């Protein structure tokens, strides 16, 4: 029998655990909580490497946290490694079971090899693996002792619930934001429809009058040029009115089978000259062969075109040391019900990003950071995806880039 806190080293461990317990109660931000957790684990047992994979409800994968890689490693929620951890209900110690590695898939073996894994710990919450901690060998080269493994198990048990609560809080917060945004856009749509109607009729009269009067002036004279400018301004207002009507009274969906892979390629071909002119490279990869959904091809193309052009605009200011690359990816998402799941389509650029204070406004009508623009494009896109029973999300890091993710239902 051992006494956990009887030596100076154990007293130090007690202090670390006490600090960690306080952080579990005080830290609500998930990423900050994860960072604190990994730091404490490494203080208790210094290891060569440490990585945390958490379950992602959108993709049913376990994704590595805190990495800035474009294609970070992940573990399949339906893979053999997760299955083994669930059945055995204990950590996997790689050096003690080297032959077991051949049981796992090649992808899983590659992830464990890449991370130089020595111990793979499951984070269990309510009989479900919510995360996986992968630790490398100890810095001092020694084997993990029984006391260390018991202490780590205790720490992981507490951390698993804390991280799960923080994750659920984030999910609920995001759902409430989406509900609020949808309701707000519906109200704005009604106001926009009324405003557009009131503006359109007198604007048509004003434009006709200006066109009639302009024939009395030589276009090369100052008054002729003024008439020309007036016509341009009325045309600009007319485009805004048309945008308002598109936002407020969207077209009915013409639903057919749509192959999203083909749709993306067609969209890229459509703006190929723009991409070349702006020196933007596109990397398009898809992790599923099933890329067909039921939807309105033209309206979905409008969404993709708008997002891509926004990405090109965001990368205009990149210098030579900051490449202009647009990453487009497509993959399976989580199941919605027994007969459908989400298909995820992501557009990630390497542009200037969006300030945190503006991120909540990007789908609002008339919000824009462009010198020229109505700010209606993304609001219209949001409405199109919403009518497809899907979701449009955005995340951004100022100075590094922005990622728009479209979730669309797909029959299985």
């Amino acid at each position: 029998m051992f006494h956990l806190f009887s030596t100076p080293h154990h007293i130090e461990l007690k202090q670390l655990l006490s600090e960690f317990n306080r952080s579990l109660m005080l830290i609500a931000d998930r990423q900050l909580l994860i960072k604190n957790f990994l730091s404490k684990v490494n203080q208790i047992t210094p290891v060569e490497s440490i990585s945390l994979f958490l379950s992602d409800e959108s993709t049913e994968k376990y994704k590595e946290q805190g990495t800035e890689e474009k294609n970070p490693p992940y573990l399949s929620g339906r893979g053999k490694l997760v299955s083994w951890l669930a059945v055995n209900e204990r950590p996997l110690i790689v050096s003690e079971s080297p032959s077991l590695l051949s049981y796992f898939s090649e992808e899983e073996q590659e992830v464990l090899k890449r991370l130089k894994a020595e111990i793979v710990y499951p984070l269990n919450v309510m009989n479900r693996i919510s995360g996986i901690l992968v630790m490398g060998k100890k810095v001092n080269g020694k084997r993990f002792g029984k006391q260390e493994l018991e202490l780590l198990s205790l720490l992981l048990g507490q951390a698993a619930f804390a991280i799960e609560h923080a994750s659920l809080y984030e999910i609920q917060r995001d759902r409430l934001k989406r509900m609020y945004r949808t309701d707000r856009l519906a109200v704005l749509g009604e106001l926009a429809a009324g405003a557009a109607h009131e503006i359109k009729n007198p604007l048509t009269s004003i434009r006709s009058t200006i066109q009639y009067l302009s024939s009395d002036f030589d276009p090369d004279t100052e008054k002729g040029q003024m008439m020309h400018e007036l016509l341009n301004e009325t045309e600009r207002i007319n485009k805004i009115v048309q945008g308002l009507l598109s936002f407020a009274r969207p077209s009915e969906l013409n639903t057919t089978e749509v192959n999203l892979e083909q749709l993306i390629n067609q969209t890229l071909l459509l703006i190929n000259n723009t991409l070349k002119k702006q020196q933007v490279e596109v990397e398009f990869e898809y992790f599923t062969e099933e890329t067909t959904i039921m939807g309105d091809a033209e309206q979905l193309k409008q969404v993709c075109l708008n997002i891509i052009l926004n990405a090109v605009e965001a990368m205009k200011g990149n210098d030579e040391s900051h490449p202009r690359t647009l990453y487009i990816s497509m993959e399976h998402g989580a199941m919605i019900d027994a007969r459908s799941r989400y298909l995820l389509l992501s557009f990630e650029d390497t542009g200037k990003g969006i300030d945190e204070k503006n991120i909540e406004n990007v789908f609002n009508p008339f919000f824009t950071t462009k010198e020229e623009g109505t700010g209606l494009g993304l609001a219209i896109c949001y409405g199109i995806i919403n009518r497809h029973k899907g979701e449009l999300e955005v995340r951004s890091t100022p100075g590094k880039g922005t990622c728009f993710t479209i979730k669309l239902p797909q029959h299985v």
Side-chain angles (χ1 to χ4, degrees), residues 171-238:
I171 292 169
Q172 186 63 19
R173 182 192 62 192
D174 291 342
R175 284 175 179 168
L176 288 172
K177 283 182 179 179
R178 286 197 295 270
M179 288 172 60
Y180 172 70
R181 182 185 297 133
T182 301
D183 290 343
R184 183 177 58 194
L185 290 178
V187 173
L188 287 173
E190 293 179 9
L191 292 172
H197 177 74
E198 291 298 322
I199 295 170
K200 189 173 183 180
N201 290 337
L203 182 64
T204 301
S205 177
I206 291 170
R207 185 169 56 177
S208 299
T209 302
I210 293 173
Q211 287 175 334
Y212 173 75
L213 293 175
S214 63
S215 61
D216 294 339
F217 299 96
D218 187 335
D220 294 330
T221 64
E222 183 180 356
K223 289 183 178 180
Q225 291 173 4
M226 289 173 65
M227 298 301 286
H228 180 70
E229 287 300 318
L230 283 173
L231 280 173
N232 287 340
E233 288 302 305
T234 54
E235 185 58 36
R236 187 175 69 85
I237 296 171
N238 187 56

Side-chain angles (χ1 to χ4, degrees), residues 118 137-145 148:
E118 170 60 15
K137 293 182 179 180
K138 292 174 64 175
V139 172
N140 61 16
K142 296 181 180 179
R143 297 171 66 88
F144 286 87
E148 287 176 307

Side-chain angles (χ1 to χ4, degrees), residues 379-393:
I380 293 171
C381 291
Y382 191 90
I384 291 173
I385 298 303
N386 192 48
R387 290 195 301 281
H388 278 81
K389 308 299 181 185
E391 298 175 7
L392 177 56
E393 301 173 349

Side-chain angles (χ1 to χ4, degrees), residues 73-76 80-81 92 94 98-117 120 134:
Y74 68 87
L75 296 167
S76 171
K80 292 183 177 180
L81 176 58
L92 166 65
V94 175
S99 60
L100 184 60
L101 292 179
S102 61
Y103 165 74
F104 304 131
S105 68
E106 291 184 6
E107 291 80 7
E108 291 169 331
Q109 292 181 49
E110 180 60 32
V111 171
L112 295 179
K113 181 180 178 182
R114 180 178 177 181
L115 298 175
K116 299 179 180 179
V120 182
V134 181

Side-chain angles (χ1 to χ4, degrees), residues 129-357:
I129 296 181
S130 62
I132 300 169
L133 183 70
V134 181
M135 300 173 66
K137 293 182 179 180
K138 292 174 64 175
V139 172
N140 61 16
K142 296 181 180 179
R143 297 171 66 88
F144 286 87
K146 182 180 178 182
Q147 289 185 355
E148 287 176 307
L149 294 176
E150 290 179 352
L151 186 58
L152 284 171
S153 294
L154 175 64
L155 188 65
L156 264 61
Q158 294 174 314
F161 276 98
I163 294 172
E164 179 76 359
H165 289 157
S167 298
L168 290 174
Y169 172 76
E170 281 191 1
I171 292 169
Q172 186 63 19
R173 182 192 62 192
D174 291 342
R175 284 175 179 168
L176 288 172
K177 283 182 179 179
R178 286 197 295 270
M179 288 172 60
Y180 172 70
R181 182 185 297 133
T182 301
D183 290 343
R184 183 177 58 194
L185 290 178
V187 173
L188 287 173
E190 293 179 9
L191 292 172
H197 177 74
E198 291 298 322
I199 295 170
K200 189 173 183 180
N201 290 337
L203 182 64
T204 301
S205 177
I206 291 170
R207 185 169 56 177
S208 299
T209 302
I210 293 173
Q211 287 175 334
Y212 173 75
L213 293 175
S214 63
S215 61
D216 294 339
F217 299 96
D218 187 335
D220 294 330
T221 64
E222 183 180 356
K223 289 183 178 180
Q225 291 173 4
M226 289 173 65
M227 298 301 286
H228 180 70
E229 287 300 318
L230 283 173
L231 280 173
N232 287 340
E233 288 302 305
T234 54
E235 185 58 36
R236 187 175 69 85
I237 296 171
N238 187 56
K239 287 181 179 179
I240 294 174
V241 172
Q242 292 301 324
L244 277 172
L245 290 172
S246 296
F247 166 66
R249 296 174 181 170
S251 304
E252 293 293 325
L253 296 181
N254 180 22
T255 304
T256 58
E257 278 196 355
V258 181
N259 187 314
L260 284 182
E261 180 198 348
Q262 294 178 3
L263 186 142
I264 293 296
N265 285 324
Q266 291 168 2
T267 306
L268 292 173
L269 186 62
L270 185 66
I271 59 169
N272 186 50
N273 289 336
T274 301
L275 295 172
K276 286 183 177 180
K277 184 179 179 181
Q278 297 298 329
Q279 299 178 319
V280 173
E281 292 187 10
V282 178
E283 294 187 14
F284 179 28
E285 54 185 344
Y286 48 97
F287 304 95
T288 171
E289 297 296 328
E290 300 171 19
T291 61
T292 299
I293 64 164
M294 297 302 294
D296 187 311
E298 289 305 313
Q299 292 194 37
L300 289 174
K301 187 180 293 185
Q302 179 184 349
V303 172
C304 295
L305 183 62
N306 192 289
I307 292 175
I308 293 172
L309 290 177
N310 280 350
V312 172
E313 179 75 20
M315 292 186 282
K316 274 186 177 180
N318 290 16
D319 55 31
E320 292 182 359
S321 63
H322 196 174
R324 302 179 183 186
T325 309
L326 175 61
Y327 301 91
I328 304 176
S329 63
M330 199 182 310
E331 62 180 323
H332 283 158
M335 297 296 295
I336 303 171
D337 52 44
R339 294 181 296 176
S340 62
R341 67 180 169 211
Y342 281 119
L343 186 63
L344 308 186
L345 180 59
S346 296
F347 301 82
E348 185 169 4
D349 64 56
T350 57
K352 59 186 178 181
I354 303 170
D355 291 337
E356 187 176 349
K357 64 180 181 181

